[in-house]
Amino acid sequence: MPNSTSSLQGWVDQPNTRGTFDIVQSSFLTIFLCTWTCLHLNLPAANEGTLKPILRKFRWMILTILGPEFVATLAAGQRANAKRVRDQFYEIGHKQWTLRHSFYANMGGFVLQPRDSTPFPIHGLHLIYLVKKGYISLPSITEDEIADKSKANWLAKALVCLQIGWFVVQCLGRWHGGLPLTSLELTTTSYVWCTWGIYAQWLHKPLDVAVPTILKSKASTAEILLQAGPEAATPYRQTPLDFVFDGRHSWTLDVQPFLRFRVDPRKRPMPRVLNDSFPWFSTAADTLIIVFIVIFYGVILAFGWNFVFPTAIEKLLWRISALVVVGTTAAFVLWETAWGIFRAAYLLHLNKKRMSPRFIYYVYAAKPEKVDPVGRLPIHNQNFDGAVVTGAKTTFIIVYISIYADVLDADVYSSPPALNEQLPPFPPGIWNKGLITKAEKRSEPHFAWTRYETLPGITSTWHKTFIDYHLLTLSESLMPNVYEASHPEFGEVVAKFARFQWEIDSYQAETEAYGWIEGQGIGPRFLGHLTEEGRVIGFVIKKLEGRHACVDDMATCMEVVHRLHYLGILHGDLNQHNFIVQSDGAALIDFETCIKSRDRNKMTAELQGLERELLDNPGKGG
């Protein structure tokens, strides 16, 4: 239209109707603001780059869309944990420690750098322990400096809450005026409510911090553990300070292995603090707050009880969903109360019983001088061949016992029956780890402690078959952790399993490598994952009949290595003992050093060194 005087217009009202696009775009934009901006994730690991943290946050955004009440519960649990840390700092006289300090510590904001040791992130409870023991001084970082690291201050968070709150005001206005409201808008309103709850719980938690504060200690990790005494002898799952606080339970470490999912990160000490630790509420107030948030979330959905839906089925599903959210939250409160009472009664009942183990693996130091004179921690002998002691067959459980080297007579360690006679009585209750010691003024060995722990296991469970360790009949020991055995279904087999925590990573790598070569005729047939009390400790392969390779077998050995390289895999340990030569060709074994690589120079070097390896390395392999 020409820009003439007659065409000039003043204020023009918006049309009195709204289209589907208006509803969808405003709802989706609000949901995005709710589920992306509210996420205050823990610090990423060092050298993760930019993309990986963004993808992690995107996955958490999807989780928030699927279940905003779950994220609200996690946020409330983190706030309760931060309050717990702050209160403990108050107890030791550090009144300047704030809730923001606690959040920053619990999210991996402090990384401990022990002397000559690998750095790792620490929790607030770890920090309290280190400060109390004098390993480090209280960090001098101020609350303002922590806030400066955050990518959003309280004003930015308030503006987001107001922006998404405007959507709720519009919906309330339509409801008050008797105008129709869509189910999408009602769902978006419930997201806004949960977002407000999440922001309230994470109000003092810094947002998107990328660089931690390094705390240097003059003590090494080994010195810290030795000074801690027997309680630190337990293998850790996350960091060496797990004996102080192990993060309790989490989805990554406790649920994913049960579901046979891959567990990341696999590096130990763990390079970052997990975001999915289960909430731990120690006060009724913290519990009631999150219960109110979640129940009101369900109540908002219940406002759509009499909405008009395209079909009766959709209306029924909507009503069921609203009832499930409200009902499960109420049931959770009742269940937790009842379970606490039942658990206390059950533990009292168990403590009246004695446990009669059937299989016992002993981990000990072979010589008295291997016991640290200060902390008196046993130095575990990595060459120890686990002795099996058969006792009563009533209760079936595997326990791992550490024994101080000077506690029992030196000659009994090589004789399981003699060792069994000198063991002290087993304490009552359910446990799978214990430490036997002997006080200076006490002549009889005794258990210093026993406890039940979730032991680490192999997580790369790609094969469909899981074989219980107790179904194997072990025979000849090929190596300390490699046995010829028989199985009722598979016949003659070879079992490889981890005896110590530090062996888990090696068998994790070899388990993955067998998945790479599955069905290629390169190595023994992989029969299944070897399990013990539900965790995977190794694997079972078909026993190959044959001999080790010699230089005359160069052609057949090179042929199988060529096939391995064709798959883009380097073996890493080619020697005469890692080939089994049979009438129809050679097979490779021992894949723990395998890596995926397309580097032709490395492949050529491995092939060129094959003849030298066959001649000059008689002591390698198994």
Side-chain angles (χ1 to χ4, degrees):
M1 180 180 294
N3 186 12
S4 62
T5 304
S6 60
S7 64
L8 290 175
Q9 298 287 338
W11 179 269
V12 178
D13 291 333
Q14 288 285 104
N16 198 26
T17 60
R18 57 181 187 155
T20 302
F21 178 78
D22 297 322
I23 298 173
V24 170
Q25 66 92 13
S26 62
S27 298
F28 279 16
L29 178 60
T30 303
I31 291 175
F32 173 78
L33 287 175
C34 290
T35 56
W36 180 266
T37 62
C38 74
L39 292 175
H40 293 55
L41 300 185
N42 295 337
L43 270 74
N47 303 319
E48 269 194 339
T50 304
L51 181 60
K52 198 168 184 178
I54 291 176
L55 293 177
R56 183 180 301 121
K57 189 168 184 177
F58 179 76
R59 290 196 300 269
W60 273 92
M61 185 189 76
I62 299 300
L63 175 62
T64 309
I65 292 174
L66 296 176
E69 70 273 26
F70 295 115
V71 178
T73 304
L74 289 177
Q78 291 183 11
R79 183 175 182 272
N81 205 1
K83 288 170 59 181
R84 194 176 298 114
V85 171
R86 180 199 60 188
D87 294 343
Q88 291 194 29
F89 266 110
Y90 283 1
E91 291 175 3
I92 61 175
H94 296 291
K95 301 296 185 181
Q96 73 274 30
W97 196 263
T98 65
L99 200 60
R100 191 180 302 276
H101 282 95
S102 297
F103 267 121
Y104 184 65
N106 293 351
M107 67 189 291
F110 295 112
V111 171
L112 180 66
Q113 174 61 77
R115 175 174 53 82
D116 302 328
S117 304
T118 303
F120 56 89
I122 57 176
H123 187 272
L125 296 177
H126 299 157
L127 184 61
I128 293 172
Y129 176 85
L130 295 170
V131 171
K132 288 172 64 177
K133 295 295 183 179
Y135 293 117
I136 59 175
S137 58
L138 184 71
S140 59
I141 188 170
T142 65
E143 187 175 13
D144 290 338
E145 289 172 335
I146 296 176
D148 186 63
K149 284 176 169 285
S150 178
K151 301 302 185 292
N153 56 21
W154 67 268
L155 179 60
K157 296 178 182 180
L159 289 175
V160 172
C161 289
L162 288 174
Q163 188 172 1
I164 60 178
W166 177 244
F167 181 90
V168 177
V169 171
Q170 290 179 309
C171 291
L172 289 175
R174 294 187 62 82
W175 174 71
H176 184 266
L179 297 175
L181 201 65
T182 66
S183 57
L184 177 59
E185 290 171 309
L186 188 62
T187 301
T188 305
T189 302
S190 69
Y191 281 115
V192 173
W193 167 254
C194 281
T195 300
W196 285 342
I198 293 171
Y199 266 119
Q201 301 304 311
W202 277 338
L203 180 62
H204 297 283
K205 185 176 182 180
L207 175 67
D208 292 341
V209 179
V211 181
T213 302
I214 306 298
L215 303 178
K216 294 184 178 181
S217 173
K218 294 182 180 180
S220 67
T221 301
E223 291 170 346
I224 295 174
L225 296 178
L226 288 173
Q227 291 293 335
E231 63 180 2
T234 304
Y236 65 84
R237 291 201 304 168
Q238 299 184 58
T239 73
L241 294 180
D242 276 0
F243 70 93
V244 177
F245 178 68
D246 62 358
R248 296 177 69 87
H249 300 296
S250 68
W251 175 272
T252 298
L253 296 180
D254 296 283
V255 179
Q256 287 188 193
F258 178 77
L259 298 176
R260 312 281 191 244
F261 290 170
R262 172 172 169 159
V263 176
D264 287 318
R266 289 179 290 174
K267 183 181 178 181
R268 294 296 182 274
M270 194 167 282
R272 62 181 176 86
V273 177
L274 298 174
N275 292 284
D276 55 8
S277 294
F278 295 154
W280 172 25
F281 302 110
S282 54
T283 66
D286 292 331
T287 305
L288 290 176
I289 288 174
I290 188 58
V291 167
F292 173 72
I293 292 174
V294 176
I295 286 183
F296 197 76
Y297 164 73
V299 169
I300 293 174
L301 296 178
F303 271 99
W305 191 271
N306 292 319
F307 274 18
V308 177
F309 290 87
T311 65
I313 293 295
E314 291 177 78
K315 175 179 282 190
L316 178 63
L317 291 175
W318 182 277
R319 291 178 173 181
I320 291 175
S321 299
L323 290 175
V324 165
V325 172
V326 177
T328 52
T329 305
F332 169 77
V333 176
L334 295 175
W335 168 259
E336 280 295 301
T337 304
W339 174 247
I341 297 173
F342 170 77
R343 182 170 52 189
Y346 182 66
L347 290 176
L348 288 175
H349 171 71
L350 285 179
N351 287 335
K352 296 178 182 178
K353 291 187 173 183
R354 297 191 66 83
M355 180 181 63
S356 301
R358 181 178 176 184
F359 293 100
I360 308 168
Y361 285 77
Y362 300 96
V363 184
Y364 62 97
K367 298 178 181 179
E369 58 266 25
K370 290 295 184 180
V371 178
D372 174 72
V374 179
R376 294 189 57 78
L377 284 177
I379 308 298
H380 291 170
N381 179 5
Q382 298 187 30
N383 298 319
F384 172 65
D385 186 1
V388 178
V389 179
T390 303
K393 298 183 179 179
T394 53
T395 304
F396 188 78
I397 189 171
I398 292 179
V399 297
Y400 291 81
I401 303 175
S402 297
I403 309 176
Y404 285 152
D406 53 352
V407 169
L408 304 178
D409 297 336
D411 56 347
V412 305
Y413 290 112
S414 60
S415 174
L419 180 61
N420 193 28
E421 292 179 1
Q422 292 199 20
L423 290 176
F426 283 91
I430 298 298
W431 54 274
N432 61 355
K433 299 200 72 175
L435 175 67
I436 295 178
T437 185
K438 183 167 63 175
E440 294 180 0
K441 298 182 180 180
R442 185 173 176 178
S443 59
E444 296 297 325
H446 66 280
F447 278 88
W449 52 259
T450 58
R451 52 177 167 254
Y452 186 86
E453 292 185 2
T454 302
L455 301 175
I458 296 168
T459 57
S460 299
T461 51
W462 55 271
H463 200 275
K464 65 179 182 180
T465 303
F466 293 83
I467 301 172
D468 193 328
Y469 170 84
H470 308 300
L471 295 179
L472 295 178
T473 302
L474 302 183
S475 54
E476 182 182 356
S477 173
L478 305 177
M479 291 178 65
N481 50 357
V482 183
Y483 285 85
E484 290 185 355
S486 61
H487 185 272
E489 179 182 350
F490 299 112
E492 297 299 314
V493 299
V494 172
K496 301 185 72 171
F497 52 89
R499 305 156 302 159
F500 305 101
Q501 177 178 347
W502 53 81
E503 295 174 335
I504 288 291
D505 289 342
S506 174
Y507 287 110
Q508 172 99 354
E510 188 164 11
T511 299
E512 291 180 350
Y514 269 104
W516 301 339
I517 66 171
E518 174 73 359
Q520 301 296 323
I522 293 174
R525 178 188 166 199
F526 191 94
L527 300 177
H529 303 287
L530 189 62
T531 64
E532 170 204 274
E533 305 297 330
R535 69 179 181 125
V536 178
I537 61 172
F539 55 85
V540 178
I541 55 178
K542 191 67 178 175
K543 179 183 177 182
L544 295 180
E545 299 293 345
R547 59 175 174 82
H548 294 303
C550 64
V551 69
D552 295 336
D553 303 307
M554 179 63 65
T556 186
C557 290
M558 289 191 68
E559 190 273 332
V560 70
V561 174
H562 272 299
R563 282 191 280 131
L564 185 71
H565 288 176
Y566 180 77
L567 299 176
I569 302 171
L570 289 170
H571 187 275
D573 187 21
L574 294 181
N575 63 80
Q576 65 187 79
H577 291 278
N578 283 341
F579 288 95
I580 301 296
V581 180
Q582 301 175 295
S583 58
D584 57 347
L588 275 166
I589 58 174
D590 288 356
F591 295 96
E592 62 264 25
T593 57
C594 278
I595 60 172
K596 282 192 172 182
S597 174
R598 293 288 181 181
D599 191 324
R600 294 189 177 275
N601 293 330
K602 292 182 179 179
M603 293 180 179
T604 301
E606 190 166 60
L607 284 170
Q608 290 175 345
L610 181 57
E611 183 174 1
R612 184 181 68 256
E613 290 288 344
L614 290 179
L615 287 171
D616 299 338
N617 290 282
K620 290 186 180 180

